[in-house]
Amino acid sequence: MDSDARPPEVHPQMMSLYVDSAVRDEVEPLLATGLFRGMTTNPTLLHRAGLTGADLPAVYDWAVAAGSREVFVQAWGADAGAIEASGRKLRELGDATVIKVAATGAGLQAAAKLAADGIPVLVTVVYAVHQAVSAAAAGAQFLAPYVGRMADLGLAGREDTLQMHRILQSSGTGARVLAASVRSTADLVALAAGGVDAFALPVPVCRALLHDAHTETAAAAFDALSAEW
């Protein structure tokens, strides 16, 4: 080995928070805080914002302009070929685009094809631990378990999500859990304490991360004293 050769620089994985919304007036102020890496969308969120797939180029443009380093958009189609084709088309929005595919048989097949060509993929609508194995085998970059919805069904949302995290950690693929359907800061804290470091958060949870009543009371007292200096 060349004595002058240096090992590649290793950067620690950073906590990655994403705003789970397509409403511009909600997303832009949160991106402006610098705490959020980007935004996640899906057809339901677009519909709630009064948008359709035709609006995605404009959504992508304003999100990136506001500081989003990653914009997640969902591919669709009746079969694997159609999902793959829509994913490739969506990737043309720009380099910040991450393609979301549902964790169906067709979706996983499309994910494998997209990932094989270097297109970043998130496997979404995940409810079962074994889907982490499938997503890792497909080469997905992210896996999105629906933590709150799993709990609604009587499943162990937090515990199963942490098990998925451990599976991906041991897979050697670099794939990460991106926890979705996170309904409270308590969910976020429990998962983060277990090692999960990527979250798609609804706007109320994003805003809750910026505030604590005790902290604000103490900060106000400091401000009152410093005003006298």
Side-chain angles (χ1 to χ4, degrees):
M1 179 178 178
D2 187 338
S3 61
D4 292 330
R6 297 180 180 179
E9 188 175 358
V10 176
H11 297 279
Q13 198 92 55
M14 292 182 64
M15 184 68 69
S16 299
L17 305 179
Y18 301 91
V19 185
D20 199 31
S21 172
V23 179
R24 185 173 184 174
D25 290 345
E26 294 178 343
V27 175
E28 286 185 332
L30 290 167
L31 290 174
T33 67
L35 272 69
F36 300 92
R37 182 173 177 84
M39 63 181 287
T40 52
T41 71
N42 60 37
T44 299
L45 292 174
L46 290 169
H47 178 74
R48 288 176 183 168
L51 304 171
T52 69
D55 297 300
L56 280 172
V59 170
Y60 178 90
D61 287 345
W62 64 249
V64 171
S68 185
R69 287 173 282 177
E70 288 169 312
V71 180
F72 291 75
V73 294
Q74 189 157 337
W76 65 88
D79 54 37
I83 297 169
E84 179 189 350
S86 68
R88 291 185 186 279
K89 184 66 176 177
L90 289 168
R91 178 63 177 171
E92 294 176 2
L93 291 170
D95 290 341
T97 310
V98 180
I99 305 303
K100 300 174 68 172
V101 297
T104 62
L108 289 165
Q109 183 178 337
K113 294 288 184 65
L114 294 168
D117 284 342
I119 296 174
V121 172
L122 176 148
V123 172
T124 189
V125 199
V126 171
Y127 287 86
V129 173
H130 70 262
Q131 291 171 307
V133 177
S134 304
Q141 185 173 344
F142 295 99
L143 175 84
Y146 278 15
V147 182
R149 293 189 187 182
M150 291 165 71
D152 292 343
L153 294 173
L155 303 173
R158 291 181 184 176
E159 293 80 1
D160 285 355
T161 297
L162 290 174
Q163 190 172 1
M164 294 180 206
H165 168 70
R166 292 191 292 271
I167 289 169
L168 294 184
Q169 287 283 292
S170 65
S171 72
T173 63
R176 302 163 69 188
V177 163
L178 194 161
S181 186
V182 177
R183 295 174 177 167
S184 68
T185 55
D187 280 339
L188 184 151
V189 168
L191 294 171
V196 175
D197 60 7
F199 296 88
L201 301 174
V203 170
V205 177
C206 292
R207 291 173 175 163
L209 289 177
L210 304 174
H211 301 286
D212 176 82
H214 300 301
T215 299
E216 293 183 16
T217 298
F222 292 153
D223 289 343
L225 289 171
S226 62
E228 301 173 3
W229 296 351

